[in-house]
mmCIF file of all heavy atoms in Angstrom:
data_model
loop_
_atom_site.group_PDB
_atom_site.id
_atom_site.type_symbol
_atom_site.label_atom_id
_atom_site.label_comp_id
_atom_site.label_asym_id
_atom_site.label_seq_id
_atom_site.Cartn_x
_atom_site.Cartn_y
_atom_site.Cartn_z
ATOM 1 N N VAL X 238 -12.420 20.824 25.862
ATOM 2 C CA VAL X 238 -11.052 21.333 25.896
ATOM 3 C C VAL X 238 -10.164 20.344 25.071
ATOM 4 O O VAL X 238 -9.123 20.896 24.335
ATOM 5 C CB VAL X 238 -10.532 21.114 27.452
ATOM 6 C CG1 VAL X 238 -9.038 21.178 27.562
ATOM 7 C CG2 VAL X 238 -11.233 22.102 28.332
ATOM 8 N N GLN X 239 -10.412 19.115 24.992
ATOM 9 C CA GLN X 239 -9.664 18.268 24.130
ATOM 10 C C GLN X 239 -9.727 18.672 22.618
ATOM 11 O O GLN X 239 -8.738 18.662 21.890
ATOM 12 C CB GLN X 239 -10.119 16.824 24.253
ATOM 13 C CG GLN X 239 -9.299 15.856 23.413
ATOM 14 C CD GLN X 239 -9.764 14.411 23.635
ATOM 15 O OE1 GLN X 239 -10.909 14.196 24.250
ATOM 16 N NE2 GLN X 239 -9.065 13.362 23.094
ATOM 17 N N GLU X 240 -10.882 19.069 22.200
ATOM 18 C CA GLU X 240 -10.933 19.521 20.951
ATOM 19 C C GLU X 240 -10.548 20.921 20.563
ATOM 20 O O GLU X 240 -9.942 21.290 19.432
ATOM 21 C CB GLU X 240 -12.516 19.348 20.427
ATOM 22 C CG GLU X 240 -12.608 19.740 18.944
ATOM 23 C CD GLU X 240 -14.127 19.579 18.479
ATOM 24 O OE1 GLU X 240 -14.881 18.888 19.195
ATOM 25 O OE2 GLU X 240 -14.451 20.236 17.560
ATOM 26 N N LEU X 241 -10.917 21.927 21.355
ATOM 27 C CA LEU X 241 -10.815 23.334 21.166
ATOM 28 C C LEU X 241 -9.803 23.915 21.934
ATOM 29 O O LEU X 241 -9.192 25.123 21.621
ATOM 30 C CB LEU X 241 -12.128 24.059 21.384
ATOM 31 C CG LEU X 241 -13.310 23.451 20.623
ATOM 32 C CD1 LEU X 241 -14.547 23.995 21.115
ATOM 33 C CD2 LEU X 241 -13.170 23.655 19.147
ATOM 34 N N GLY X 242 -9.449 23.438 23.049
ATOM 35 C CA GLY X 242 -8.458 24.085 23.951
ATOM 36 C C GLY X 242 -9.197 24.990 24.968
ATOM 37 O O GLY X 242 -10.292 25.350 24.840
ATOM 38 N N GLU X 243 -8.400 25.275 26.057
ATOM 39 C CA GLU X 243 -9.029 26.130 27.111
ATOM 40 C C GLU X 243 -9.095 27.620 26.710
ATOM 41 O O GLU X 243 -9.777 28.449 27.572
ATOM 42 C CB GLU X 243 -8.109 25.943 28.465
ATOM 43 C CG GLU X 243 -8.391 24.685 29.021
ATOM 44 C CD GLU X 243 -7.650 24.421 30.363
ATOM 45 O OE1 GLU X 243 -6.995 25.475 30.835
ATOM 46 O OE2 GLU X 243 -7.930 23.485 31.017
ATOM 47 N N GLY X 244 -8.453 28.108 25.643
ATOM 48 C CA GLY X 244 -8.616 29.447 25.284
ATOM 49 C C GLY X 244 -9.500 29.781 24.230
ATOM 50 O O GLY X 244 -9.658 30.846 23.576
ATOM 51 N N SER X 245 -10.584 28.880 24.079
ATOM 52 C CA SER X 245 -11.726 29.011 23.073
ATOM 53 C C SER X 245 -12.930 29.746 23.696
ATOM 54 O O SER X 245 -13.139 29.670 24.860
ATOM 55 C CB SER X 245 -12.012 27.796 22.464
ATOM 56 O OG SER X 245 -12.604 26.973 23.475
ATOM 57 N N GLU X 246 -13.718 30.321 22.802
ATOM 58 C CA GLU X 246 -14.949 30.930 23.236
ATOM 59 C C GLU X 246 -15.858 29.927 23.795
ATOM 60 O O GLU X 246 -16.589 30.150 24.798
ATOM 61 C CB GLU X 246 -15.652 31.713 22.056
ATOM 62 C CG GLU X 246 -16.827 32.345 22.327
ATOM 63 C CD GLU X 246 -17.598 32.999 21.125
ATOM 64 O OE1 GLU X 246 -17.121 32.777 20.077
ATOM 65 O OE2 GLU X 246 -18.480 33.734 21.393
ATOM 66 N N PRO X 247 -16.106 28.679 23.091
ATOM 67 C CA PRO X 247 -16.974 27.632 23.637
ATOM 68 C C PRO X 247 -16.554 27.276 25.113
ATOM 69 O O PRO X 247 -17.310 27.084 25.894
ATOM 70 C CB PRO X 247 -16.929 26.597 22.612
ATOM 71 C CG PRO X 247 -16.487 27.203 21.355
ATOM 72 C CD PRO X 247 -15.491 28.254 21.735
ATOM 73 N N TYR X 248 -15.263 27.081 25.223
ATOM 74 C CA TYR X 248 -14.906 26.904 26.655
ATOM 75 C C TYR X 248 -15.217 27.874 27.668
ATOM 76 O O TYR X 248 -15.849 27.493 28.683
ATOM 77 C CB TYR X 248 -13.301 26.484 26.729
ATOM 78 C CG TYR X 248 -12.794 26.402 28.135
ATOM 79 C CD1 TYR X 248 -12.970 25.011 28.713
ATOM 80 C CD2 TYR X 248 -12.139 27.182 28.743
ATOM 81 C CE1 TYR X 248 -12.561 24.837 29.932
ATOM 82 C CE2 TYR X 248 -11.687 26.949 30.121
ATOM 83 C CZ TYR X 248 -11.930 25.798 30.758
ATOM 84 O OH TYR X 248 -11.505 25.544 31.949
ATOM 85 N N ALA X 249 -15.083 29.160 27.238
ATOM 86 C CA ALA X 249 -15.465 30.235 28.305
ATOM 87 C C ALA X 249 -16.940 30.229 28.433
ATOM 88 O O ALA X 249 -17.439 30.397 29.580
ATOM 89 C CB ALA X 249 -14.983 31.524 27.569
ATOM 90 N N ASN X 250 -17.783 29.902 27.390
ATOM 91 C CA ASN X 250 -19.173 29.659 27.643
ATOM 92 C C ASN X 250 -19.617 28.564 28.441
ATOM 93 O O ASN X 250 -20.517 28.691 29.339
ATOM 94 C CB ASN X 250 -19.818 29.675 26.164
ATOM 95 C CG ASN X 250 -19.668 30.937 25.440
ATOM 96 O OD1 ASN X 250 -19.549 32.019 26.043
ATOM 97 N ND2 ASN X 250 -19.832 30.892 24.148
ATOM 98 N N LEU X 251 -18.885 27.452 28.243
ATOM 99 C CA LEU X 251 -19.168 26.364 29.096
ATOM 100 C C LEU X 251 -18.923 26.705 30.606
ATOM 101 O O LEU X 251 -19.651 26.240 31.418
ATOM 102 C CB LEU X 251 -18.332 25.130 28.795
ATOM 103 C CG LEU X 251 -18.768 24.435 27.429
ATOM 104 C CD1 LEU X 251 -17.572 23.571 26.907
ATOM 105 C CD2 LEU X 251 -19.918 23.554 27.698
ATOM 106 N N ILE X 252 -17.806 27.271 30.890
ATOM 107 C CA ILE X 252 -17.438 27.627 32.179
ATOM 108 C C ILE X 252 -18.397 28.722 32.894
ATOM 109 O O ILE X 252 -18.884 28.556 33.970
ATOM 110 C CB ILE X 252 -15.917 28.276 32.313
ATOM 111 C CG1 ILE X 252 -14.892 27.295 31.879
ATOM 112 C CG2 ILE X 252 -15.753 28.877 33.703
ATOM 113 C CD1 ILE X 252 -14.990 26.068 32.723
ATOM 114 N N ASN X 253 -18.921 29.648 32.038
ATOM 115 C CA ASN X 253 -19.866 30.539 32.475
ATOM 116 C C ASN X 253 -21.206 29.917 32.827
ATOM 117 O O ASN X 253 -21.819 30.083 33.794
ATOM 118 C CB ASN X 253 -20.226 31.558 31.423
ATOM 119 C CG ASN X 253 -21.162 32.654 31.760
ATOM 120 O OD1 ASN X 253 -20.712 33.541 32.596
ATOM 121 N ND2 ASN X 253 -22.272 32.677 31.304
ATOM 122 N N ASP X 254 -21.604 28.964 31.998
ATOM 123 C CA ASP X 254 -22.884 28.189 32.205
ATOM 124 C C ASP X 254 -22.926 27.220 33.377
ATOM 125 O O ASP X 254 -23.763 27.028 34.116
ATOM 126 C CB ASP X 254 -23.390 27.529 30.945
ATOM 127 C CG ASP X 254 -23.847 28.585 29.861
ATOM 128 O OD1 ASP X 254 -23.841 29.710 30.192
ATOM 129 O OD2 ASP X 254 -24.238 28.153 28.753
#
Side-chain angles (χ1 to χ4, degrees):
V238 167
Q239 182 179 11
E240 181 181 338
L241 306 169
E243 290 184 357
S245 66
E246 179 184 12
Y248 175 74
N250 292 335
L251 284 161
I252 294 300
N253 184 76
D254 288 356

